[in-house]
């Protein structure tokens, strides 16, 4: 397997003494890379600042939250104290980040990782390691750890334990261990230090964390060994993955990003690492994405199965079955990573990224009615049954009951896949996914994999749904399936009906793809929909829609256009191969939460489809 490190990216980034490439203290969202350990994840800016980290878990309150409030959020900075240029990459086949700082007097390299747990020895509950290597000359370095427990709402105390500064708040504690990185000092609620990094020397900073358990203070040799073991573990995992098609590097980086969104204790897959990053600078479209959405489930399971991740596929499917059982037969839009279904939404007093408030924690969309989720879950179960050769008896019964529910629920209006906060409507994509739910249920029943007690009703209702879609959701004037029944607005989400197998009029779907390409696409960018949605302001172009369009083009015989679009989309990643939720088409700036699981899932799905279509044309 070849290298899957991120594309080398360089750029002049002045050091902290001159302000850096930041806007009022905020780094461009494109400047963030992510590291993680299967339980939590951190955002690391190009200038060496860790600006986001939830502890102890991905969905826990942030101890570093400067990406949402540069003054009060807290961070862990580490960079030269003189002007520098920086370049970075992921170490090949890992989620370990390497940043090289070049100054007029020398060059240094920082390697960042959240270390993977070692079952054989006593290790910290969570541990952030930052190794600093002198490559040439001499570089003056400065670092500062500013923890803000509980989104900055809890008082932080710093005291020395066994010679090590330890910050505490209630039952949470983190230490700042420094070796050859200057003598740590603290003032108020920050620990800092500075040192001269000479060529051939290396320093180490470790931040072990504990929650409701003793704080483990590691030895330097243990940290060095754990960093090497973490790199080896990532390489071993990546080595077993299966993909040999086009855009290999981008697909494998997307899979590694997806792995960082897997919450190992449960198998759930988070939508993103972050909360409340804006879809428009200064706008109100700021949502917490540290939950697992049912709408992503079919793409998630397909990616795991296609790329040789059976353990992740199995764990994710059973987490989904456990979580959905709690609300059966209804489905929540999203669930907590531990499988819970209560996600109350509240607003923090933080100012938001570049002043984009409100900062929301939790997500009220969990209680919306989104009928497409039934099709997504049934498609996921159908894929799992095909791969594994069967279904558990209790799961099979529940799927049959879910199909029965769809037979009545499909007639109701809903909030749609985009979680708009306008009145419910008869969204076309929702109806298409209800059709998919019953079509997949019927197929499973006919193969004896779920109870067939209401099979005839499923067939009949499926046909009724198709008649509704074809009669009320297609506009001859627009030559397209439209956003909702009786509407003239367009919606890229109808592509999902096609990608998941909606069996409507094939000519109409090809016309729809052409209409969306013509009216919602601008270069490589595709808008989600046209028309009002109950929110003020606008948003960027939704990246997943662009990948869906590329895949749809490939599936309908427009392979050259699909490849051309895909090549453009691959070029939109940041310097380490990551994608956010949206991009500003005018500036190219990232918008929304990141790294966005759905963007990376859509990339994987599109790449696999285009590769398959390319093989078909050569036979």
């Amino acid at each position: 397997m070849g290298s899957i490190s991120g594309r080398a990216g360089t750029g002049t980034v002045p050091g902290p003494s001159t302000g850096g490439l930041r806007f009022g203290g905020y780094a461009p969202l494109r400047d963030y890379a992510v590291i993680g350990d299967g339980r939590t994840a951190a955002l690391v800016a190009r200038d060496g600042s860790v600006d986001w980290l939830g502890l102890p878990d991905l969905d826990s309150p942030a101890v570093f939250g400067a990406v949402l409030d540069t003054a009060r959020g807290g961070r862990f900075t580490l960079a030269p104290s003189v002007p520098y240029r920086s370049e970075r990459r992921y170490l090949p086949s890992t989620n370990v980040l390497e940043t090289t700082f070049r100054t007029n007097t020398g060059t240094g390299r920082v390697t960042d990782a959240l270390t993977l747990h070692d079952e054989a020895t006593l290790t910290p509950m969570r541990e952030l390691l930052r190794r600093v290597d002198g490559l040439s000359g001499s570089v003056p370095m400065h670092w500062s750890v500013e923890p803000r427990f509980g989104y900055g709402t809890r008082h932080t105390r710093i005291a020395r334990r066994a010679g090590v500064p330890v910050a505490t708040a209630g039952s949470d504690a983190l230490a700042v261990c420094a070796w050859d990185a200057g003598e740590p000092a603290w003032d108020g609620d920050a620990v800092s230090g500075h040192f001269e990094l000479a060529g051939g020397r290396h320093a180490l900073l470790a931040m072990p964390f504990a929650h409701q358990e003793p704080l483990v203070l590691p030895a330097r040799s243990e940290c060095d060994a754990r960093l090497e073991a973490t790199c080896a573990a990532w390489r071993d995992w990546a080595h077993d993955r299966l993909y040999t098609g086009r855009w290999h590097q981008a697909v494998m980086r997307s899979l590694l990003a997806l792995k960082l969104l897997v919450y190992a204790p449960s198998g759930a897959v988070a939508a993103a690492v972050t909360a409340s990053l804006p879809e428009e600078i200064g706008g109100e479209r700021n949502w917490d994405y540290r939950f697992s959405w049912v709408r992503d489930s079919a793409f998630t399971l397909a990616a795991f199965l296609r790329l040789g991740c059976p353990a992740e596929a199995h764990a994710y499917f059973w987490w989904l079955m456990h979580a959905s059982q709690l609300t059966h037969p209804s489905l929540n839009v999203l669930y907590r990573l531990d499988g819970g279904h209560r996600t109350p939404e509240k607003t923090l007093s933080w100012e938001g990224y570049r002043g984009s408030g409100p900062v929301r924690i939790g997500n009220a969309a969990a209680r919306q009615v989104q009928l497409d989720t039934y099709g997504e879950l049934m498609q996921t179960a159908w894929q799992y049954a095909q791969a594994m050769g069967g279904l558990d008896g209790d799961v099979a019964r529940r799927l049959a009951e879910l199909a029965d529910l769809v037979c009545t629920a499909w007639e109701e209006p809903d909030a749609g896949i985009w979680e708009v906060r306008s009145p419910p409507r008869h969204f076309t994509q929702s109806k298409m996914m209800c059709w998919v739910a019953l079509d997949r249920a019927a197929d499973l029943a006919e193969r004896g994999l779920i109870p067939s007690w209401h099979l005839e009703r499923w067939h009949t209702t499926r046909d009724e749904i198709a008649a509704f879609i074809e009669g009320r959701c297609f506009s001859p004037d627009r030559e397209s399936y439209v956003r909702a029944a009786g509407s003239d607005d367009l919606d890229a989400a109808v592509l999902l009906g096609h990608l998941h197998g909606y069996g409507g009029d094939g000519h109409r779907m090809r016309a729809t793809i052409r209409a969306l390409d013509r009216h919602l696409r601008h270069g490589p960018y595709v808008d989600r929909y046209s028309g009002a949605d109950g929110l003020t302001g606008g948003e960027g172009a939704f990246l997943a829609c662009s990948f869906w369009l590329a895949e749809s083009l490939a599936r309908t015989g427009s392979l050259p256009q699909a490849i051309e679009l895909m090549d453009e989309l691959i070029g939109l990643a940041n310097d380490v191969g990551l994608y956010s939720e949206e991009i500003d088409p005018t500036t190219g700036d990232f918008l929304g939460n990141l790294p966005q699981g759905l963007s990376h899932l859509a990339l994987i799905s599109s790449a696999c489809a285009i590769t398959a279509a390319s093989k078909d044309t050569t036979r």
Side-chain angles (χ1 to χ4, degrees):
M1 177 176 293
S3 169
I4 57 172
S5 61
R7 291 175 293 125
T10 61
T12 300
V13 183
S17 59
T18 56
L21 280 180
R22 288 181 173 246
F23 305 92
Y26 293 97
L29 295 181
R30 268 191 175 273
D31 278 8
Y32 285 108
V34 62
I35 57 176
D37 62 1
R39 289 168 174 79
T40 190
L43 291 187
V44 186
R46 183 192 283 267
D47 62 9
S49 181
V50 180
D51 287 347
W52 180 262
L53 174 61
L55 286 171
D57 298 318
L58 182 68
D59 55 358
S60 297
V63 69
F64 299 140
V67 72
L68 290 179
D69 194 311
T70 189
R72 295 180 293 168
R75 54 169 58 86
F76 185 164
T77 60
L78 171 60
S81 52
V82 295
Y84 59 82
R85 301 182 311 279
S86 72
E87 57 192 55
R88 61 188 179 168
R89 64 168 187 157
Y90 283 109
L91 293 180
S93 302
T94 78
N95 278 314
V96 175
L97 183 68
E98 180 185 272
T99 305
T100 301
F101 296 103
R102 303 184 188 278
T103 74
N104 290 335
T105 60
T107 300
R109 182 175 61 212
V110 175
T111 303
D112 287 320
L114 282 164
T115 56
L116 302 180
H117 190 64
D118 183 356
E119 299 289 347
T121 60
L122 180 64
T123 57
M125 181 186 198
R126 306 284 183 270
E127 180 182 53
L128 172 62
L129 286 186
R130 314 196 74 182
R131 189 178 70 193
V132 191
D133 293 287
L135 302 183
S136 66
S138 182
V139 182
M141 302 289 294
H142 180 268
W143 57 268
S144 177
V145 180
E146 305 165 26
R148 300 292 182 265
F149 295 97
Y151 303 115
T153 62
R154 298 163 61 192
H155 176 65
T156 301
R157 299 176 58 187
I158 300 178
R160 190 183 293 272
R161 293 187 194 175
V164 176
V166 174
T168 59
S171 59
D172 291 335
L174 64 82
V176 182
C177 304
W179 295 279
D180 294 326
E183 182 64 26
W186 60 92
D187 179 16
D189 52 9
V191 181
S192 61
H194 57 86
F195 61 101
E196 196 74 21
L197 179 67
R201 304 295 298 273
H202 84 270
L204 185 65
L205 290 161
M207 194 192 80
F209 176 85
H211 172 70
Q212 296 180 345
E213 63 178 31
L215 178 66
V216 176
L217 300 178
R220 179 174 187 167
S221 60
E222 295 171 343
C223 291
D224 281 328
R226 230 171 356 256
L227 180 58
E228 294 304 316
T230 295
C231 292
W234 280 119
R235 288 192 295 268
D236 289 346
W237 183 83
H239 181 268
D240 293 332
R241 308 289 71 86
L242 306 174
Y243 184 74
T244 57
R246 289 177 179 265
W247 308 290
H248 177 269
Q249 182 171 305
V251 169
M252 294 307 297
R253 177 48 57 195
S254 289
L255 184 60
L256 281 160
L258 184 62
K259 181 66 171 173
L260 286 176
L261 298 176
V262 175
Y263 181 60
S266 69
V269 180
V273 166
T274 55
S276 232
L277 291 178
E279 297 175 22
E280 178 186 41
I281 301 301
E284 66 166 328
R285 300 165 187 255
N286 318 314
W287 317 109
D288 191 344
Y289 273 20
R290 297 170 300 163
F291 304 99
S292 194
W293 266 255
V294 177
R295 74 171 184 208
D296 299 347
S297 60
F299 280 119
T300 300
L301 192 76
F304 286 149
L305 293 173
R306 285 169 174 166
L307 302 183
C309 305
E312 288 79 5
H314 188 75
Y316 174 67
F317 180 76
W318 281 104
W319 169 84
L320 183 60
M321 293 301 101
H322 164 75
S324 59
Q325 185 176 21
L326 300 178
T327 56
H328 183 74
S330 298
L331 285 177
N332 270 24
V333 173
L334 55 97
Y335 295 90
R336 296 200 313 263
L337 301 183
D338 64 2
H341 59 94
R342 300 185 184 279
T343 60
E345 189 174 287
K346 66 177 182 179
T347 300
L348 301 183
S349 61
W350 285 356
E351 72 169 4
Y353 177 78
R354 293 177 61 186
S356 303
V359 173
R360 296 182 176 95
I361 300 299
N363 201 309
R367 290 300 184 184
Q368 286 187 345
V369 175
Q370 293 182 23
L371 296 177
D372 67 291
T373 57
Y374 296 95
E376 294 284 355
L377 188 138
M378 196 71 76
Q379 174 78 3
T380 302
W382 181 75
Q383 292 176 147
Y384 184 84
Q386 286 187 311
M388 303 301 174
L391 291 167
D392 173 81
D394 181 62
V395 168
R397 176 187 55 78
R398 285 169 49 203
L399 292 173
E401 292 169 351
L402 186 141
D404 287 341
L405 177 64
V406 172
C407 286
T408 56
W410 81 269
E411 297 181 277
E412 300 299 321
D414 74 330
I417 186 176
W418 301 127
E419 296 167 7
V420 298
R421 303 209 171 181
S422 52
R425 300 175 70 183
H426 290 286
F427 287 102
T428 303
Q429 187 262 351
S430 296
K431 307 306 183 189
M432 288 178 170
M433 293 308 296
C434 286
W435 184 97
V436 169
L438 295 179
D439 184 73
R440 297 300 181 257
D443 183 70
L444 289 170
E446 287 162 356
R447 291 193 282 142
L449 297 178
I450 67 173
S452 58
W453 53 63
H454 294 145
L455 177 58
E456 183 177 348
R457 183 187 183 199
W458 301 343
H459 279 303
T460 300
T461 307
R462 180 192 60 184
D463 294 343
E464 291 174 357
I465 296 172
F468 180 92
I469 295 169
E470 301 304 321
R472 298 185 56 188
C473 299
F474 185 86
S475 168
D477 292 337
R478 299 286 269 174
E479 295 185 283
S480 177
Y481 291 109
V482 289
R483 188 179 175 202
S487 169
D488 283 329
D489 295 327
L490 299 181
D491 187 351
V494 301
L495 294 173
L496 289 176
H498 169 60
L499 298 181
H500 289 325
Y502 170 67
D505 188 314
H507 295 293
R508 285 184 167 188
M509 185 56 73
R510 284 190 287 276
T512 297
I513 293 168
R514 291 193 295 270
L516 296 175
D517 186 61
R518 186 166 57 250
H519 296 295
L520 293 187
R521 179 181 171 186
H522 316 280
Y525 304 108
V526 176
D527 296 331
R528 286 197 281 188
Y529 48 80
S530 58
D533 58 11
L535 293 165
T536 60
E539 62 180 11
F542 198 76
L543 279 164
C545 294
S546 295
F547 288 114
W548 297 340
L549 179 59
E551 181 172 353
S552 296
L553 288 167
R555 286 174 177 261
T556 53
S558 300
L559 186 59
Q561 296 93 318
I563 293 173
E564 181 181 8
L565 175 55
M566 192 70 175
D567 282 337
E568 290 186 85
L569 294 173
I570 296 299
L572 298 180
N574 74 355
D575 60 306
V576 289
L578 300 181
Y579 293 86
S580 60
E581 181 181 17
E582 300 178 4
I583 290 183
D584 184 327
T586 303
T587 64
D589 291 344
F590 277 8
L591 294 168
N593 289 300
L594 76 154
Q596 180 75 7
L598 189 56
S599 298
H600 287 281
L601 287 166
L603 183 154
I604 291 169
S605 184
S606 184
C608 289
I610 293 172
T611 295
S614 298
K615 291 179 180 178
D616 288 341
T617 62
T618 60
R619 289 174 182 170

